[in-house]
Amino acid sequence: MTPHIHAQPGDFARTVLMPGDPLRAKFIAETYLDEAREVSNVRNILAYTGSYKNTPVSIMASGMGMPSIGIYSWELFTTFGVENIIRVGSCGAYTKTLKLHDVLLATEAWSESSYAKTQNGDMAPHNHPSAKLNQWLQESAARQGIPIHEGTVHSSDVFYRHEHEVFQKIHAEEGALAVEMESFALFHNARVLNKHAACLLTVSDHLITEEASTSQQRETGFKQMIEIALGSVKN
Ligand code: ADE
């Protein structure tokens, strides 16, 4: 039991998929898992454990932003025996090479956030996903014939910002293909705790074309992302 997760050691599988939204966690658990049971619901941050094709897996919401995923991933890694966390989220595209509802695997998170500096004094603006999890995700996507993009993501603390000046500079100077709000903190926690993390995203909005997905398109990209993530999980 931790301040934010009321569960017992052993209630979580080694691998946890983390969407931002609690209702997405519920939907994934109810749609894809066998014998899913709710294991925590503090602040309505729903968590489930069950199995996918006979492999145990948990699904838990992260909430939005680095402070939120920072808390939940820390507690999962330190108290519940979790080894692998795969964020399954959405992003805004910074480049026309990404189209709405494409799937993007993060190979690096760049951020101007103070999360790492405040957590342990780290000043580097980059954090990286686990090479092992990224390989499992690439293999899962290839097995299922689902195309993925790969590249740097910008983890931002601010959703409503002066889009054009800021994002064009970050795209040009840091090579970020898209923006989201969680990976940098998740990758930082995994690194300092000697655990594994990865991040798979679907493009929900486009900062160049200013398009946003219809709910139908969101569903397609979301389904593919979840199937890649679940198909990557190993015992
Ligand atoms: N997640 C999805 N779209 C986003 C955006 N435009 N900015 C930050 N996070 C996002």
Side-chain angles (χ1 to χ4, degrees):
M1 182 111 121
T2 58
H4 308 97
I5 304 174
H6 291 182
Q8 302 304 314
D11 278 342
F12 283 89
R14 281 170 62 83
T15 301
V16 181
L17 266 54
M18 295 196 95
D21 177 354
L23 293 181
R24 287 224 154 157
K26 183 172 161 55
F27 173 83
I28 298 165
E30 288 175 351
T31 308
Y32 290 98
L33 299 195
D34 291 324
E35 291 172 14
R37 65 187 178 96
E38 187 182 289
V39 293
S40 184
N41 58 17
V42 180
R43 293 175 182 243
N44 283 330
I45 290 288
L46 302 172
Y48 300 85
T49 295
S51 63
Y52 180 75
K53 299 189 176 165
N54 297 319
T55 302
V57 63
S58 297
I59 319 285
M60 179 172 173
S62 68
M64 285 187 284
M66 290 185 256
S68 187
I69 200 164
I71 290 170
Y72 296 112
S73 61
W74 189 272
E75 293 182 8
L76 287 172
F77 282 145
T78 56
T79 309
F80 295 98
V82 171
E83 289 298 319
N84 308 310
I85 295 180
I86 303 171
R87 163 167 153 69
V88 282
S90 63
C91 64
Y94 279 173
T95 162
K96 283 190 178 168
T97 58
L98 290 175
K99 307 274 180 268
L100 287 184
H101 72 84
D102 279 358
V103 180
L104 172 63
L105 176 66
T107 53
E108 174 180 78
W110 179 89
S111 187
E112 64 282 83
S113 159
S114 60
Y115 183 89
K117 181 175 160 226
T118 306
Q119 203 282 318
N120 71 348
D122 275 359
M123 297 300 289
H126 308 100
N127 268 301
H128 294 90
S130 149
K132 173 190 85 173
L133 289 187
N134 272 20
Q135 190 185 332
W136 290 358
L137 288 161
Q138 287 158 342
E139 288 168 358
S140 172
R143 252 194 327 271
Q144 298 182 65
I146 304 172
I148 55 171
H149 297 261
E150 297 185 24
T152 299
V153 299
H154 172 205
S155 296
S156 175
D157 279 327
V158 182
F159 187 85
Y160 295 106
R161 51 196 179 261
H162 295 286
E163 308 288 15
H164 287 279
E165 300 108 65
V166 179
F167 94 72
Q168 282 166 348
K169 192 165 181 293
I170 295 170
H171 174 57
E173 292 179 5
E174 311 302 337
L177 301 182
V179 57
E180 53 84 68
M181 303 182 74
E182 289 84 13
S183 295
F184 179 78
L186 173 63
F187 297 170
H188 172 87
N189 281 355
R191 181 169 54 79
V192 303
L193 295 169
N194 230 349
K195 302 281 184 168
H196 296 270
C199 173
L200 210 50
L201 301 162
T202 52
V203 178
S204 61
D205 54 288
H206 210 295
L207 281 85
I208 297 181
T209 62
E210 296 185 353
E211 302 160 278
S213 324
T214 62
S215 53
Q216 166 101 41
Q217 284 172 319
R218 263 206 301 275
E219 221 35 65
T220 313
F222 176 72
K223 200 166 158 273
Q224 290 185 328
M225 171 177 71
I226 298 306
E227 287 168 8
I228 295 170
L230 285 170
S232 78
V233 178
K234 297 189 202 301
N235 258 323

